[in-house]
Amino acid sequence: MAEGFVLKAVGDQAILVGLGDSISEDTSRRVMSLNAKVRMTVWEENGILETVPAFNSLLIRYNPLVIGYSSVCHLIRSFMKQGGQDTGTDGRLVEIPVCYGGEYGGDLAFVANHAGLLEQEVVDIHCGRDYRIYMLGFLPGFPYLGGLDERLFTPRLPTPRVCIPAGSVGIGGEQTGIYPLDSPGGWRLIGRTPLKLFDPRKGGELPYAAGDSIRFIPIGEEEFKAVQLQQETR
C-alpha cells in the first residue's frame, strides 16, 4: 500500500482513504487519528461535510462547489505526513450494564458449550476486558467491538433470527456487539442491556462513538428491570 494509505474517489463528493488491510487496534487507531485531524482542522466552511470511520478506512464527504477532489487529496496527504498517529485515538470509556443468560441471553449455554466453559466463566471472560469500538454500522448505533477473547469466538447462527430484541448483546465469529434496535440477526445472544441506546424520537444521540471503548457490567434481573423502568419513564 503506497505511503501506507490509498485514496479512492467515491462519486464526485467523497473520498475513501484506505489505511490497512486488516481489522486490528493499530489500524483502528490510524483511522481515528486521521478522522480527528480532519474534524479539527477543516469543516463545513472549508467544504468538508462529514467523516465516516470504518474498520480500516475513512470516508470523507465534501462539497465539490467549495473544495475540489485534488485539494482534499492534498489535505489528506499533509495530515498523513504529520505523524503523531495517537492524536484523538483514545476515546471515552462507556459502561454498559448487561443481564446475562436466561430469557435475556438464550445462546449463553451454546457459547459455553462451544468453548468448553461454564456459563459463568463465559460471563466473567466477556466482562473481563474493555472493547474498542472499531466502527458503527449495520443498524444505527450498532458497535462492532474489537478485542473479544479467543476462547469466546463462536460461529453465527446458520439461519438468522427474524427479530432480536433491542439491547441484545451477541457474539458473531470473532466479534461482540450490541443490537440497539429490534432487528433480524444471526449473532449468538448472551445477554441484554436495559439501556435505550438509540431513540430516533430523541434525536438519535448515542452514548458512544467509533474510537470509544465499552466495558460490560454484569447485573441481575431485578436491576435490569429497575433500569429499564427508568429508561421508559424518561
Side-chain angles (χ1 to χ4, degrees):
M1 185 174 292
E3 301 179 284
F5 64 97
V6 292
L7 303 177
K8 181 179 180 180
V10 182
D12 61 355
Q13 299 182 37
I15 293 176
L16 185 68
V17 188
L19 292 158
D21 299 319
S22 63
I23 298 174
S24 67
E25 183 168 341
D26 287 343
T27 303
S28 175
R29 287 183 176 278
R30 294 190 74 210
V31 171
M32 296 313 301
S33 176
L34 178 59
N35 184 61
K37 290 172 183 176
V38 173
R39 293 182 67 88
M40 288 189 299
T41 308
V42 289
W43 208 234
E44 288 190 24
E45 63 272 16
N46 294 330
I48 305 298
L49 304 177
E50 182 183 20
T51 60
V52 183
F55 282 126
N56 49 22
S57 64
L58 180 70
L59 181 74
I60 301 173
R61 192 168 65 87
Y62 61 93
N63 182 348
L65 299 179
V66 178
I67 187 170
Y69 173 81
S70 60
S71 295
V72 178
C73 289
H74 176 75
L75 285 170
I76 295 168
R77 292 191 179 99
S78 67
F79 293 148
M80 295 303 297
K81 289 179 181 178
Q82 290 174 10
Q85 291 182 356
D86 286 337
T87 302
T89 60
D90 290 321
R92 302 164 298 162
L93 177 61
V94 181
E95 294 187 345
I96 302 292
V98 177
C99 186
Y100 287 89
E103 65 176 291
Y104 304 106
D107 295 324
L108 179 60
F110 179 91
V111 173
N113 183 66
H114 182 267
L117 299 168
L118 299 175
E119 291 185 21
Q120 186 57 51
E121 290 177 316
V122 172
V123 174
D124 293 342
I125 292 170
H126 193 256
C127 294
R129 58 178 62 189
D130 299 335
Y131 300 90
R132 182 178 180 84
I133 302 176
Y134 284 166
M135 63 174 285
L136 303 176
F138 168 55
L139 294 172
F142 186 102
Y144 285 90
L145 307 178
L148 182 66
D149 191 297
E150 291 183 4
R151 291 172 290 177
L152 301 187
F153 289 1
T154 311
R156 293 170 172 80
L157 290 168
T159 302
R161 292 181 172 92
V162 175
C163 185
I164 290 175
S168 293
V169 176
I171 292 175
E174 301 179 5
Q175 290 187 288
T176 186
I178 313 169
Y179 289 84
L181 297 169
D182 292 346
S183 167
W187 289 28
R188 305 283 181 172
L189 307 182
I190 61 173
R192 194 184 310 166
T193 179
L195 300 181
K196 273 193 174 181
L197 300 177
F198 180 81
D199 188 346
R201 296 171 299 180
K202 297 181 180 180
E205 184 177 352
L206 296 167
Y208 47 68
D212 289 344
S213 293
I214 283 180
R215 177 179 296 170
F216 293 112
I217 307 297
I219 60 173
E221 186 172 10
E222 289 188 8
E223 185 174 355
F224 179 96
K225 291 181 177 179
V227 173
Q228 188 178 53
L229 181 62
Q230 290 175 356
Q231 297 280 299
E232 291 174 352
T233 55
R234 284 184 178 179

